[in-house]
Amino acid sequence: MSDALKHECGIAQIRLLKPLEFYKEKYGSAFYGVNKMYLLMEKQHNRGQDGAGFASIKLDTQPGERYISRVRSIAQQPIQDIFAQINERINKELTENPEYVDNVELQKKHIPYIGEVLLGHVRYGTFGKNSVESVHPFLRQNNWMHRNLIVAGNFNMTNVNELFDGLVRIGQHPKEMADTVTIMEKIGHFLDDAVSKIYRKLKKEGYNKHECSPLIAERLNVAKILKKSAKDWDGGYAMAGLLGHGDSFVLRDPAGIRPVYYYKDDEVVVVASERPVIQTVFNVDFDDVKELEPGHAIITKKSGEVAIKKILEPLERKACSFERIYFSRGSDAEIYQERKNLGKFLMPKVLEAIDNDTKNTVFSYIPNTAETSFFGMIETVEEYLNKKKTQAILDGNGKLSAEVVTNILSERPRIEKIAIKDVKLRTFITEDSSRDDLVAHVYDVTYGVIKPTDNLVIIDDSIVRGTTLKKSIIKMMDRLHPKKIIVVSSAPQIRYPDCYGIDMARLEDLIAFRAMLELLEENNKYHLIQEVYDKCKAQVELEDKDVRNFVKDLYSQFSADAISDKIAQLISNENINAEVVAIFQPIENLHKACPKNLGDWYFTGNYPTAGGNRVVNRAFINFFEGNKDRAY
């Protein structure tokens, strides 16, 4: 992706179903779970590089023994940093206490991080400070083992203010108005309540305090706690949690916005944000890894019993399509094919833009995430050329010379690696002109392969703000002196803010929105901005379910092609000699390519939860009033 775009986050959870001695005997180490967690997190580093965290719980420890371990980092390479810390501590203990080396019982008793229940998280901070206090997992501590709660998630809530007020109403005093803290305190409240109720019931049944503890663990109904906690949540989320005594869960939002996959056998239960990560780390087949249904939780009791429970009534499935376009690793079998299809489906528009002149067209891509869509695009060019060659030979009626046939068959797509992502350049000079000059060199180009008669087709997976295109890529491409530069986006136009975890909070940052504003002005329709603002202001006090997305009315004034043409002008300038064309994926082709991930609110404004319309409403009000605050 040419525009930097951040995204929250990646989760990984492991529950070992056998005693640690089993893994020592079979795999050579009682740290089997820790090793697998490292791999799960490292294979998901694409989902978050601002911070990483790890937590583990030991089962059946004696009073006075530490049973919870946690380590978090915001180092430049946070995953490596936390596991370097873990490794250093483990090696120190084993070196200073040689008797631990082959004794799993002593390892579990004395060495931190070893445990049967493990939780990992990689973080992209979409906003706010990137301090270690912001890094998951979060820990809510208590002397009662059952009331200890560890939470990590891939999520963003649209109604955190209401959730915060709800906690205040029940007498709590949350330490900050952050959605992670609010969610953890909500779960913690109902966890405390459930433990207290079970304890009182057990006392009535005649059990003493010491006898109650293991019985609380047995009777605790995690599904019921989650149902009460999540009742008012509005957002996209994959929420993972561990309870101090050993129960664990992962809950997915009812629209399926955020992804969750799991695998289970008789040795392990593993949950992660991406399917191929589990496949690779545990060497299992595609069909062995299941997707957690929206509104459901996978719950593993301390006893090892695993159940999938419906927590919330599923909504219409609107899984995030950006997961397929960009965020998730392309090594997933389905995602790989979907990205190829995104490239294929664009070719009719591309051929039209180059007047079917493949002979004088060079095809390339923005590294590295657009590469798979590029493959799909080239396959379609090859199919087009094969039909063209076949027809040319048939038109010859068997009278063509060998030389002519050879010439016909020799035509193939001209593929070049034109854009090369250079080292990360730091804009250390604050003066605008200096910064712009540095930004212009984020990408390098390959010289000597473009002729002045050539079209240059370059595919990107999405165009969000258009900043890098305008200040770097188009400038660099124009130095090659092509006749025409066709910028192709495998995603549709991004028109609306996201509020479920992607860092797209302000309307005016989006190039499609800016293009629409210019068209309004050029067509003497800018007065509609005031009308939409008035409608948005009139909705401020409405309940979320009653709020409408009136920003749609502005986009409806123009065709998608008209907005694409204006975007092409915005990413170009008077110093660019080549004609610049912008082509975007039509919405219907996106749905055709990614049939299971129909969440398209950033393209269409059709938000899957009621809170989404309130966010776009606030985003438009902020834009109109010149307020730079985020809409959520």
Side-chain angles (χ1 to χ4, degrees), residues 178-428:
D179 51 7
T180 310
V181 171
T182 307
I183 293 306
M184 184 172 65
E185 292 302 336
K186 189 84 166 174
I187 299 171
H189 168 76
F190 288 110
L191 173 62
D192 289 346
D193 189 51
V195 170
S196 296
K197 284 177 180 174
I198 295 169
Y199 175 69
R200 288 196 297 269
K201 191 173 181 182
L202 289 168
K203 289 289 286 180
K204 283 181 182 177
E205 293 174 17
Y207 294 99
N208 64 39
K209 293 179 179 179
H210 182 69
E211 292 169 329
C212 283
S213 194
L215 293 171
I216 290 172
E218 286 178 22
R219 297 191 187 186
L220 202 61
N221 187 333
V222 176
K224 193 172 181 181
I225 293 168
L226 292 176
K227 283 177 185 178
K228 290 180 177 180
S229 304
K231 182 167 63 77
D232 298 321
W233 294 354
D234 187 289
Y237 50 87
M239 200 70 63
L242 314 179
L243 307 186
H245 63 277
D247 287 0
S248 60
F249 66 86
V250 179
L251 169 63
R252 190 180 187 191
D253 67 85
I257 293 169
R258 299 268 72 89
V260 181
Y261 294 90
Y262 68 93
Y263 166 76
K264 178 190 177 301
D265 60 22
D266 61 350
E267 295 181 9
V268 68
V269 181
V270 57
V271 187
S273 294
E274 299 192 26
R275 185 202 311 266
V277 170
I278 300 175
Q279 284 183 254
T280 301
V281 173
F282 288 88
N283 191 26
V284 294
D285 293 334
F286 179 93
D287 292 333
D288 295 329
V289 183
K290 309 298 181 187
E291 184 176 4
L292 186 64
E293 288 298 312
H296 287 66
I298 178 168
I299 298 168
T300 307
K301 291 291 291 175
K302 176 182 178 292
S303 64
E305 177 192 350
V306 183
I308 308 292
K309 299 281 189 179
K310 184 167 80 171
I311 305 301
L312 297 164
E313 200 60 44
L315 303 172
E316 182 182 359
R317 181 186 164 96
K318 291 291 182 181
C320 174
S321 56
F322 247 118
E323 288 284 351
R324 319 302 275 191
I325 295 165
Y326 172 67
F327 291 124
S328 292
R329 291 169 78 91
S331 53
D332 182 281
E334 284 186 345
I335 291 174
Y336 184 79
Q337 191 56 52
E338 287 170 13
R339 289 183 182 171
K340 284 183 75 174
N341 285 339
L342 287 168
K344 285 182 179 182
F345 295 160
L346 283 161
M347 272 316 296
K349 282 191 149 192
V350 173
L351 288 170
E352 184 183 332
I354 64 173
D355 297 322
N356 296 317
D357 184 9
T358 53
K359 195 170 285 188
N360 291 300
T361 300
V362 171
F363 296 91
S364 193
Y365 60 93
I366 305 292
N368 289 312
T369 51
E371 188 173 6
T372 309
S373 295
F374 172 74
F375 290 153
M377 188 169 74
I378 293 305
E379 280 185 13
T380 311
V381 179
E382 288 171 342
E383 289 168 10
Y384 166 78
L385 287 177
N386 286 339
K387 288 178 184 175
K388 185 177 168 185
K389 293 174 193 177
T390 301
Q391 192 60 51
I393 292 170
L394 290 174
D395 289 346
N397 294 315
K399 297 176 183 177
L400 300 177
S401 67
E403 184 182 359
V404 171
V405 172
T406 300
N407 284 337
I408 291 170
L409 293 175
S410 66
E411 188 177 351
R412 57 179 55 89
R414 292 172 59 195
I415 301 168
E416 303 291 351
K417 188 165 186 179
I418 297 294
I420 301 160
K421 189 75 177 280
D422 216 331
V423 293
K424 188 172 183 180
L425 295 169
R426 297 191 177 276
T427 54
F428 53 89

Side-chain angles (χ1 to χ4, degrees), residues 32 64 136 153 190 272 376 507 517-518:
Y32 171 83
H136 304 199
F190 288 110
L507 278 168
L517 293 180
E518 295 233 354

Side-chain angles (χ1 to χ4, degrees), residues 45-253:
H45 77 270
N46 53 297
R47 303 188 68 86
Q49 293 162 31
D50 287 343
F54 167 94
S56 64
I57 288 178
K58 305 173 192 278
L59 300 182
D60 300 316
T61 55
Q62 296 300 311
E65 295 177 2
R66 290 185 69 96
Y67 58 95
I68 294 177
S69 299
R70 182 178 62 149
V71 58
R72 299 179 293 174
S73 173
I74 54 167
Q76 192 165 8
Q77 294 183 308
I79 300 170
Q80 290 90 330
D81 182 51
I82 61 174
F83 282 95
Q85 292 182 52
I86 291 170
N87 193 48
E88 184 180 352
R89 179 64 187 277
I90 291 170
N91 286 338
K92 180 174 181 286
E93 294 288 344
L94 293 176
T95 302
E96 293 178 356
N97 303 279
E99 67 275 17
Y100 295 174
V101 173
D102 290 312
N103 190 318
V104 175
E105 185 181 349
L106 291 177
Q107 287 179 9
K108 180 175 174 178
K109 184 174 182 178
H110 296 290
I111 301 179
Y113 309 117
I114 188 171
E116 293 89 347
V117 197
L118 307 101
L119 180 59
H121 187 266
V122 292
R123 177 179 188 265
Y124 263 141
T126 56
F127 64 98
K129 295 177 181 176
N130 188 38
S131 63
V132 75
E133 287 79 18
S134 304
V135 178
H136 304 199
F138 278 36
L139 172 61
R140 187 179 191 262
Q141 290 182 290
N142 194 288
N143 273 346
W144 282 64
M145 183 179 276
H146 320 85
R147 296 188 184 192
N148 282 284
L149 174 64
I150 304 171
V151 171
N154 168 16
F155 67 98
N156 197 68
M157 297 298 174
T158 71
N159 63 335
V160 67
N161 291 349
E162 290 86 344
L163 295 173
F164 180 90
D165 291 343
L167 290 173
V168 173
R169 280 195 301 273
I170 60 176
Q172 288 198 15
H173 188 92
K175 61 183 180 181
E176 59 180 300
M177 194 184 288
D179 51 7
T180 310
V181 171
T182 307
I183 293 306
M184 184 172 65
E185 292 302 336
K186 189 84 166 174
I187 299 171
H189 168 76
F190 288 110
L191 173 62
D192 289 346
D193 189 51
V195 170
S196 296
K197 284 177 180 174
I198 295 169
Y199 175 69
R200 288 196 297 269
K201 191 173 181 182
L202 289 168
K203 289 289 286 180
K204 283 181 182 177
E205 293 174 17
Y207 294 99
N208 64 39
K209 293 179 179 179
H210 182 69
E211 292 169 329
C212 283
S213 194
L215 293 171
I216 290 172
E218 286 178 22
R219 297 191 187 186
L220 202 61
N221 187 333
V222 176
K224 193 172 181 181
I225 293 168
L226 292 176
K227 283 177 185 178
K228 290 180 177 180
S229 304
K231 182 167 63 77
D232 298 321
W233 294 354
D234 187 289
Y237 50 87
M239 200 70 63
L242 314 179
L243 307 186
H245 63 277
D247 287 0
S248 60
F249 66 86
V250 179
L251 169 63
R252 190 180 187 191
D253 67 85

Side-chain angles (χ1 to χ4, degrees), residues 3 462-470 489 492-496 504 506-519 555 563-564 566-572 582 584:
D3 288 317
S462 58
I463 300 169
V464 186
R465 304 174 187 94
T467 309
T468 308
L469 276 172
K470 182 182 178 73
S489 169
Q493 297 163 6
I494 298 168
R495 298 180 168 194
Y496 303 93
M504 299 188 297
R506 285 187 281 263
L507 278 168
E508 61 269 30
D509 288 346
L510 307 177
I511 194 164
F513 184 78
R514 300 200 306 274
M516 180 268 292
L517 293 180
E518 295 233 354
L519 288 171
Y555 283 109
I563 293 174
S564 294
K566 181 54 66 176
I567 289 171
Q569 291 179 27
L570 293 179
I571 60 177
S572 183
F584 288 83

